[in-house]
């Protein structure tokens, strides 16, 4: 077996040094009263915070204009471009958070993995990772390979108001592994799950390899000044609860443990995760993101019940209440102003019931997944205004 990284990064190595924590603290410029940070703590925010997954990107003409001659991944390594694209929706919609313009495969690309983002498709690998040799040869990203992201974040922070936060992010291990193993986007993640079941040792070796890359990508963003991070396990909802627990949760927990010392909120989100919400909360995030299928009050009740059960059973994870994020169906934004107004109000009422029942600390409004490319930007602006009026 060829191993270009003969000394894998150990768990202890993933934790930040005191110096790194101090660097991150010094870089932080959002006010602690920023509505999103207040909602995470369970304080009453000055207005209900809202941002939308994929708020930057194809729904905006100014994005299409900037990206006309630049490849998707190239734009993620151009500090001026990534900063401008991150800021476009924040200015246009008066968002409470900027989501860093990047992609879950950026740390892989930075580390030298042959991956590109193909228009209309998504991330595509030069060669899928399906053997022990390929897992062994997978590089772990070095912070120095992410300088462009650090520089871009500097540009973003200079332009945000102090009540607006910058959210950094990374793909969580199952979702990243799926692209690596399948070689590109997948409908059912069959090859990925087959590896998990038939070659568990290879699966775990891949997870061990990916975990430090995810941690470093998050740490670099936090040390550059990101105020919160979201760990996207977008496709984890394809797993059963049992498989999630065995094959995924331990790695997500390690990732969150490794960024916790910085003290910035961690949001955890996946699609179709109604059945997994309790387990996803048990890996330790401060905020649980919910897709549009489970009402927020029901989701929050599941989370608190599951966390309490876990603790009673002596399992990992701490009890307590998380903040909740979500969960308007992205298709609602295509349905006209009256529907948007009514459905925004419904989502807010469900979130408020969760808070009143003691099942959630606070609410961050979001969609249940990303903005659809065909969405009219004015409908997005209107939805932001409706949320702020709630
Ligand atoms: O040409 C283009 O405009 C490419 C479309 C695009 C964009 C705008 C891709 C390709 N990635 C991105 C940016 C991106 N990706 C952001 C920042 C922008 C924002 O949210 O405003 C973020 C947070 C991501 C994260 C991402 N990439 C996820 C997790 C979030 C989610 O949507 O669940 C995933 C799964 C990816 C993979 C990916 N990258 C791009 C596409 C089309 C896909 C999905 C492919 C698939 O269906 O499997």
């Amino acid at each position: 077996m060829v191993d270009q990284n003969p000394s894998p990064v150990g768990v202890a190595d993933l934790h930040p040094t005191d110096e790194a924590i101090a660097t991150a603290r010094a870089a932080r410029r959002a006010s602690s009263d920023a509505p999103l940070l207040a909602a995470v703590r369970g304080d009453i925010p000055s207005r209900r915070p809202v941002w939308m997954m994929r708020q930057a990107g194809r729904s905006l003409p100014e994005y299409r204009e900037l990206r006309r001659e630049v490849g998707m991944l190239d734009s993620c390594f151009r500090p001026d471009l990534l900063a401008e694209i991150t800021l476009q929706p924040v200015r246009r919609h008066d968002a409470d958070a900027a989501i860093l313009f990047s992609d879950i495969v950026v740390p892989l690309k930075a580390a030298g993995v042959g991956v590109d983002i193909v228009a209309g498709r998504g991330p595509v690998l030069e060669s899928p990772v399906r053997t022990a040799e390929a897992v062994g040869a997978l590089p772990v990203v070095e912070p120095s390979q992410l300088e462009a992201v650090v520089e871009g974040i500097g540009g973003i922070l200079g332009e945000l108001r102090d009540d607006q936060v910058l959210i950094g992010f990374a793909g969580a291990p199952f979702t990243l592994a799926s692209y690596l193993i399948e070689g590109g986007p997948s409908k059912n993640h069959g090859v990925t799950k087959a590896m998990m079941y038939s070659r568990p040792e290879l699966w775990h070796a891949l997870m061990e390899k990916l975990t430090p890359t995810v941690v470093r990508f998050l740490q670099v963003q936090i040390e550059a000044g990101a105020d919160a991070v979201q760990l996207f396990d977008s496709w984890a909802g394809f797993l059963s609860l049992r498989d999630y627990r065995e094959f995924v949760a331990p790695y997500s927990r390690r990732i969150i443990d490794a960024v916790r010392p910085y003290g910035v909120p961690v949001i955890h989100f996946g699609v179709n995760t109604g059945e997994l919400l309790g387990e996803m909360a048990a890996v330790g995030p401060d905020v649980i993101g919910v897709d549009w299928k489970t009402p927020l009050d029901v989701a929050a009740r599941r989370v608190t019940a599951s966390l309490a059960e876990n603790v009673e059973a002596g399992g990992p994870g701490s009890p307590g209440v998380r903040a909740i994020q979500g969960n308007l169906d992205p298709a609602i934004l295509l349905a006209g102003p009256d529907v948007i107004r009514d459905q925004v109000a419904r989502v807010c009422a469900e979130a408020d019931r969760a808070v009143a029942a003691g099942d959630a600390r606070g609410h961050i409004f979001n969609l249940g997944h990303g903005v659809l490319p065909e969405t009219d930007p004015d409908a997005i602006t209107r939805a932001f205004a409706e949320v702020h009026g709630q």
Side-chain angles (χ1 to χ4, degrees):
M1 181 172 127
V2 186
D3 192 341
Q4 294 181 348
N5 293 285
S7 49
V9 182
V11 181
D13 298 327
L14 295 178
H15 286 266
T17 60
D18 290 346
E19 198 188 340
I21 295 169
T23 303
R25 225 160 249 153
R28 195 119 309 109
R29 30 111 324 265
S31 156
S32 63
D33 293 335
L36 187 140
L37 299 176
V40 173
R41 283 196 306 271
D43 293 344
I44 308 242
S46 55
R47 65 183 191 184
R48 192 181 302 251
V50 49
W51 68 282
M52 288 183 186
M53 294 181 272
R54 295 283 166 101
Q55 65 187 16
R58 290 164 300 173
S59 63
L60 299 185
E62 58 268 37
Y63 166 80
R64 291 197 293 268
E65 177 62 29
L66 269 187
R67 276 279 327 282
R68 220 152 28 114
E69 313 218 317
V70 191
M72 168 65 202
L73 272 181
D74 291 339
S75 64
C76 297
F77 288 93
R78 293 247 319 252
D80 54 337
L81 268 188
L82 81 85
E84 176 57 22
I85 296 173
T86 301
L87 290 163
Q88 283 175 343
V90 180
R91 291 188 203 113
R92 194 192 249 267
H93 309 306
D94 189 20
D96 296 288
I99 175 80
L100 180 71
F101 185 78
S102 189
D103 194 81
I104 59 170
V105 297
V106 160
L108 299 174
K109 180 78 176 177
V113 175
V115 57
D116 202 4
I117 291 185
V118 176
R121 227 182 128 202
V124 175
L125 274 286
E126 264 169 32
S127 33
V129 176
R130 295 180 181 173
T131 62
E133 288 70 24
V135 170
L138 199 64
V140 172
V141 77
E142 291 296 332
S144 61
Q145 295 169 317
L146 293 163
E147 273 305 315
V149 175
V150 171
E151 207 181 306
I153 288 177
I156 297 164
L157 296 179
E159 302 253 342
L160 289 177
R161 298 194 310 255
D162 70 356
D163 61 346
Q164 292 169 321
V165 300
L166 173 63
I167 301 177
F169 73 92
F174 178 78
T175 296
L176 270 186
S178 170
Y179 288 105
L180 288 170
I181 297 167
E182 307 278 344
S186 163
K187 282 214 162 65
N188 48 28
H189 309 272
V191 187
T192 308
K193 288 160 82 173
M195 184 205 274
M196 200 183 237
Y197 297 129
S198 64
R199 303 197 58 192
E201 73 301 333
L202 186 56
W203 171 264
H204 287 294
L206 177 57
M207 292 287 103
E208 293 284 346
K209 219 38 186 306
L210 283 175
T211 296
T213 285
V214 175
V215 168
R216 283 180 178 164
F217 189 41
L218 292 173
Q219 288 178 334
V220 159
Q221 295 172 64
I222 296 169
E223 285 171 34
D227 302 291
V229 289
Q230 177 153 318
L231 188 61
F232 280 96
D233 218 346
S234 299
W235 313 138
F238 280 83
L239 294 170
S240 69
L241 187 57
R242 199 181 51 238
D243 293 339
Y244 178 81
R245 219 177 250 157
E246 177 175 350
F247 293 109
V248 176
Y251 303 100
S252 297
R253 182 172 296 116
R254 258 156 68 182
I255 291 164
I256 293 176
D257 281 350
V259 298
R260 186 172 295 108
Y262 292 106
V264 306
V266 178
I267 308 166
H268 197 21
F269 167 79
V271 192
N272 285 321
T273 49
E275 295 298 323
L276 304 182
L277 287 171
E279 285 299 310
M280 289 178 73
V283 303
D286 305 280
V287 183
I288 276 288
V290 183
D291 77 5
W292 67 93
K293 293 175 193 162
T294 315
L296 289 179
D297 49 344
V298 175
R301 207 177 312 129
R302 278 188 200 167
V303 165
T304 35
S306 170
L307 288 174
E309 256 173 49
N310 251 340
V311 169
E312 225 162 81
S318 55
V321 180
R322 310 292 198 246
I324 201 144
Q325 176 175 284
N327 72 345
L328 190 74
D329 183 337
I332 299 281
L333 295 179
L334 309 176
D338 294 348
V339 178
I340 292 174
R341 186 194 55 235
D342 292 351
Q343 295 296 316
V344 164
R346 173 190 54 81
V347 168
C348 292
E350 286 164 357
D352 291 348
R353 275 207 291 280
V355 174
D359 289 326
R361 280 175 185 268
H363 178 215
I364 301 167
F365 195 100
N366 205 313
L367 300 181
H369 198 192
V371 173
L372 299 171
E374 63 269 36
T375 308
D376 174 359
D378 290 342
I380 306 177
T381 307
R382 203 172 302 120
F384 274 74
E386 294 285 356
V387 174
H388 286 147
Q390 287 286 324

